[in-house]
Amino acid sequence: MDSLSLLVLGVVLCFSCYGAFSCPKRCTCHVGIDTTEVVCPDVSLSRYPSDSLPGSTTSLTIQFTSLDNITAYDLRATPLLQELHLPGNRLSSLPAHLLVGLQHLHTIDLTGNLFQTLPPQVFHHAPLLTLVLKDNLLTNVSADWLPRTSNLTWLDLSGNKLSKGPSALLQRLTRLEILHLSQNHLEELPADSFHSLPALERLYLDENKLQALDAKAFSGNANLTHLFLQKNQLESLPAAVFHGLARLHYVDLSENKLGSLASGTLAEGMVWVDLSSNPWHCDAALVPLWKWLCGQSDRSEPTCVSPEALKGRVISQLTSAELSPVPAQ
């Protein structure tokens, strides 16, 4: 083959490669050895760009656009897709068989859309590990969204309108490690609420309306390491609520309505417990908490709200006499 023929062949191959990795208008594409990432942030985008996406796309982000519809047919254009990020769009519904054929998809992020409900089997057909439904309008969660053999390890349902925990769905998530239920309308946690989650490590329940916890709310969660309960309405805690949680070392109880804690509620192995911004009443009933705080080298510094004589004082800096004064003779 002469040099001219080689040159022509090279040009043809270059154009072929360029076509294979063409990038949709108003999007950016990053091509690596084993990955092709596409990001489309244009607010004027209103249609899924399936006809111009590289077939090798492994990660697709369409964010803060006017996109209001997506179909299983659209997703067929990217059979190698591993991550699908669709935050801040105008999606309000999804087809039941959306993920058919996506045998590599492990992450889907639907943060900040307009979903009030979703159809059964909507997240079947793909080996999902991470599902994010944060900041939508969901009032209920269906167990049928995911298959019975789901391998999901991360589920984010924060920022919705859930008044009850998704117990039926959680029964299918025996491998779940991280669960976000923050910023919902949860008022109670029945016994064994998360019993089906033996692998659970991080549980986010902050900014709900919880007024009390059942003593067995976290039974079965022996691998729990981080528990977030801040900004609720908790007035008391059962003494045994954290018993059996040997790995639990971070608990956030700040901004609740706690006035005291029963003896034995907090274990010595807890490395950090945030107790700030609670209405602590500093009298003899607070001695167990005072002793626990004094034994911690790394701690938050909650302060007394009452009685008036101790208001604003750091609890760990009080003396036993101040907490349990000897009655005047």
Side-chain angles (χ1 to χ4, degrees):
M1 185 178 293
D2 57 30
S3 58
L4 179 60
S5 298
L6 286 172
L7 178 62
V8 171
L9 178 60
V11 171
V12 171
L13 289 174
C14 285
F15 274 107
S16 298
C17 291
Y18 179 80
F21 294 104
S22 62
C23 194
K25 293 181 179 179
R26 299 187 295 275
C27 299
T28 58
C29 296
H30 305 278
V31 180
I33 298 176
D34 299 314
T35 61
T36 300
E37 300 181 14
V38 181
V39 179
C40 304
D42 195 321
V43 68
S44 64
L45 190 153
S46 59
R47 187 178 65 84
Y48 191 89
S50 55
D51 55 348
S52 53
L53 284 169
S56 60
T57 300
T58 54
S59 176
L60 173 62
T61 300
I62 301 176
Q63 58 187 2
F64 308 112
T65 74
S66 299
L67 181 70
D68 61 4
N69 185 54
I70 184 173
T71 68
Y73 179 80
D74 291 328
L75 295 180
R76 290 179 189 175
T78 52
L80 301 180
L81 198 63
Q82 298 175 22
E83 299 184 21
L84 177 61
H85 301 273
L86 299 170
N89 295 294
R90 302 191 58 80
L91 298 168
S92 59
S93 63
L94 295 174
H97 301 290
L98 176 67
L99 307 183
V100 169
L102 298 181
Q103 300 178 6
H104 307 281
L105 186 69
H106 59 71
T107 297
I108 183 167
D109 181 357
L110 295 163
T111 297
N113 281 279
L114 303 172
F115 299 114
Q116 297 184 43
T117 186
L118 291 167
Q121 300 187 358
V122 63
F123 300 121
H124 287 225
H125 313 298
L128 290 181
L129 298 177
T130 297
L131 173 59
V132 181
L133 288 163
K134 180 180 180 180
D135 294 340
N136 278 279
L137 305 170
L138 298 169
T139 57
N140 292 290
V141 174
S142 171
D144 293 333
W145 289 355
L146 288 160
R148 294 185 181 277
T149 56
S150 174
N151 290 323
L152 209 68
T153 60
W154 186 317
L155 175 61
D156 192 339
L157 290 165
S158 60
N160 281 282
K161 297 184 177 182
L162 304 178
S163 58
K164 295 182 179 180
S167 56
L169 178 65
L170 297 183
Q171 295 291 326
R172 301 187 174 198
L173 306 182
T174 57
R175 299 188 180 185
L176 197 68
E177 297 175 2
I178 301 174
L179 175 59
H180 291 259
L181 291 171
S182 310
Q183 298 176 317
N184 276 285
H185 300 162
L186 304 180
E187 295 183 359
E188 61 180 3
L189 294 177
D192 303 325
S193 291
F194 309 104
H195 187 72
S196 61
L197 308 177
L200 190 65
E201 296 179 2
R202 289 175 175 257
L203 176 57
Y204 296 79
L205 293 165
D206 48 294
E207 296 190 56
N208 278 284
K209 299 181 179 180
L210 298 172
Q211 298 182 19
L213 297 177
D214 189 279
K216 296 184 178 181
F218 311 114
S219 63
N221 304 124
N223 284 307
L224 195 64
T225 62
H226 291 70
L227 178 58
F228 300 85
L229 288 161
Q230 68 270 29
K231 296 185 179 181
N232 277 284
Q233 300 173 26
L234 298 170
E235 297 181 1
S236 63
L237 294 176
V241 69
F242 302 133
H243 288 190
L245 305 180
R247 297 189 61 199
L248 184 64
H249 62 261
Y250 184 99
V251 181
D252 195 337
L253 288 162
S254 62
E255 298 188 55
N256 277 281
K257 297 182 178 181
L258 298 169
S260 63
L261 288 180
S263 177
T265 303
L266 302 179
E268 293 182 4
M270 293 180 178
V271 176
W272 181 264
V273 180
D274 194 336
L275 299 164
S276 61
S277 301
N278 279 282
W280 300 110
H281 182 70
C282 295
D283 62 4
L286 206 67
V287 169
L289 176 58
W290 171 74
K291 289 182 177 180
W292 185 86
L293 286 168
C294 291
Q296 300 297 113
S297 59
D298 190 13
R299 62 185 179 229
S300 65
E301 294 288 7
T303 58
C304 304
V305 171
S306 60
E308 188 65 28
L310 298 176
K311 186 175 181 178
R313 293 281 302 278
V314 175
I315 295 173
S316 63
Q317 296 177 4
L318 298 175
T319 65
S320 59
E322 287 175 307
L323 287 170
S324 304
V326 177
Q329 297 295 323

